[in-house]
Amino acid sequence: MKKVLVIVLALVMCLSAFAVASAEEVKGDINGDGTLKIGFSELDIDGAWRITQVESMEEEAAARGYDYMMTNAEYDTEKQVADVEDLLAQDVDFLFIAPIDMDAIVPALSAAKEAGVPVILLDREATGTWGEDWLTTIIADYVQQGEMCGQWLVDNMGDEEVKIVEITGVVGGSDVRDRAQGIRNIVDQHDNMSIVATQTGEWSRSTAQEVMENIIQSTGGDFNVVYCHNDEMALGAVLALKAAGMNPGTDVKVIAIDGQAEAVEAIIAGEMNAIATCSPRFGKAAFDALEKYLAGETFEQYIINSETLITIDNAEEQLPLAF
């Protein structure tokens, strides 16, 4: 009798464990197909930052055992909306979106809302209403990044006249808007600082190199700082400065944002001066937030990634953390 009782109890425990596992498996399964499907609409996969973000998301999804699929919008706003619609047609239960453009992504958010699929925004903001059109935004403080770069100039160039060339990312993204505002928050406080030229480098090393060449010609080289919205463009600017016989890192200070290994090495080599980091490793924060949602918890409007400033003083130490 005792033996039978033990067997029965064992079976009950196994069934209970199976029930818990099944409940966990389908929790949040709005489509009722027995699996939890996660979609990620990436804006592009070009350059070290985006490649690292994609890898981080894929690795975290695999480690946690999610059914995961990703699309690449190739920096085409219409394609990104179509990508989201395609993910919805594949019955995803949850969406991560890195919007190309704040306004252009609105139809995609509306489609997700209509389908009842919750959204978390990654590294970019969107036009709409937090808590209605998306749950939260996992993002860096882009204004602060621009301010960190500007403050480095204040701390290291003193009363010298500071003439800044700004090379921006693609206009329309919240990161471009905020990184531009951040440095202006510093420049506007100092009479000896000014931005003498602003042009987009489209996040591209080759485009930024060409833009820098044109600015050198149009200004006669009458500037002493280049501020780039990412490291890829800064590396392109360095090439153009060197080709023009100018000395990046000494005669012309070069400051940027991201924390790419090649750019950190450029600081060590003396060809760049400062980088406000912007980590692309979103995987853990993204899937932690997803599981927080599945647990029924609520969100603040933003989940802010913490960053640091890389200079010659800590570049060697930061290099192993670069991407």
Side-chain angles (χ1 to χ4, degrees):
M1 182 66 181
K2 287 183 179 179
K3 185 176 181 180
V4 172
L5 182 58
V6 168
I7 292 172
V8 171
L9 288 172
L11 285 171
V12 169
M13 290 175 67
C14 288
L15 289 170
S16 297
F18 175 79
V20 170
S22 298
E24 287 299 315
E25 182 183 8
V26 301
K27 191 174 184 180
D29 174 22
I30 64 170
N31 295 302
D33 59 3
T35 61
L36 186 61
K37 297 179 181 179
I38 312 301
F40 174 33
S41 170
E42 176 62 285
L43 60 84
D44 197 9
I45 310 176
D46 182 26
W49 199 96
R50 288 290 163 191
I51 291 170
T52 303
Q53 183 183 54
V54 166
E55 291 173 346
S56 175
M57 293 290 287
E58 289 175 346
E59 290 166 3
E60 200 68 28
R64 303 194 192 203
Y66 287 108
D67 184 356
Y68 172 80
M69 58 196 77
M70 188 202 75
T71 58
N72 175 14
E74 299 174 355
Y75 235 101
D76 182 328
T77 55
E78 291 184 3
K79 185 177 185 305
Q80 184 163 45
V81 173
D83 285 347
V84 171
E85 291 172 346
D86 183 58
L87 288 168
L88 293 171
Q90 295 182 62
D91 287 337
V92 294
D93 299 292
F94 195 95
L95 275 171
F96 294 109
I97 301 177
I100 296 171
D101 184 278
M102 293 181 67
D103 296 325
I105 199 63
V106 169
L109 293 172
S110 297
K113 185 177 180 180
E114 184 176 349
V117 175
V119 173
I120 286 180
L121 302 178
L122 299 184
D123 78 74
R124 300 282 189 93
E125 293 185 76
T127 300
T129 304
W130 159 58
E132 294 182 12
D133 299 306
W134 62 86
L135 298 174
T136 189
T137 303
I138 305 175
I139 199 167
D141 188 334
Y142 298 132
V143 173
Q144 183 186 55
Q145 290 170 351
E147 290 174 343
M148 289 166 71
C149 289
Q151 189 59 47
W152 185 89
L153 296 175
V154 172
D155 295 341
N156 288 272
M157 299 187 72
D159 295 330
E160 179 182 353
E161 186 176 10
V162 179
K163 297 182 177 181
I164 304 165
V165 168
E166 178 186 34
I167 302 181
T168 78
V170 178
V171 176
S174 61
D175 49 354
V176 174
R177 176 200 64 193
D178 291 350
R179 287 171 178 172
Q181 184 60 54
I183 197 163
R184 283 164 177 75
N185 289 347
I186 303 299
V187 169
D188 291 348
Q189 297 176 26
H190 299 274
D191 294 336
N192 65 315
M193 300 177 72
S194 62
I195 296 173
V196 298
T198 298
Q199 193 168 333
T200 179
E202 299 179 348
W203 302 118
S204 163
R205 186 180 307 198
S206 59
T207 302
Q209 182 176 354
E210 183 178 346
V211 165
M212 190 77 262
E213 290 169 353
N214 293 336
I215 291 174
I216 291 169
Q217 290 181 355
S218 64
T219 63
D222 186 18
F223 57 87
N224 54 4
V225 173
V226 176
Y227 166 58
C228 295
H229 285 198
N230 77 348
D231 290 339
E232 276 289 316
M233 295 189 296
L235 292 166
V238 165
L239 292 174
L241 291 166
K242 291 167 71 174
M246 304 175 79
N247 298 310
T250 51
D251 299 339
V252 180
K253 309 302 182 189
V254 181
I255 54 179
I257 297 168
D258 270 354
Q260 189 174 329
E262 192 175 349
V264 179
E265 289 168 350
I267 288 181
I268 295 170
E271 294 183 343
M272 286 181 61
N273 302 91
I275 300 169
T277 62
C278 183
S279 175
R281 297 184 176 95
F282 274 70
K284 184 179 185 305
F287 283 93
D288 280 352
L290 165 63
E291 291 173 359
K292 181 177 178 180
Y293 162 77
L294 295 178
E297 299 182 42
T298 57
F299 292 95
E300 297 295 327
Q301 185 170 0
Y302 298 102
I303 298 173
I304 304 294
N305 296 332
S306 61
E307 309 296 348
T308 190
L309 186 71
I310 302 175
T311 66
I312 192 61
D313 296 329
N314 64 351
E316 293 279 4
E317 175 188 340
Q318 291 293 318
L319 184 56
L321 304 177
F323 57 90

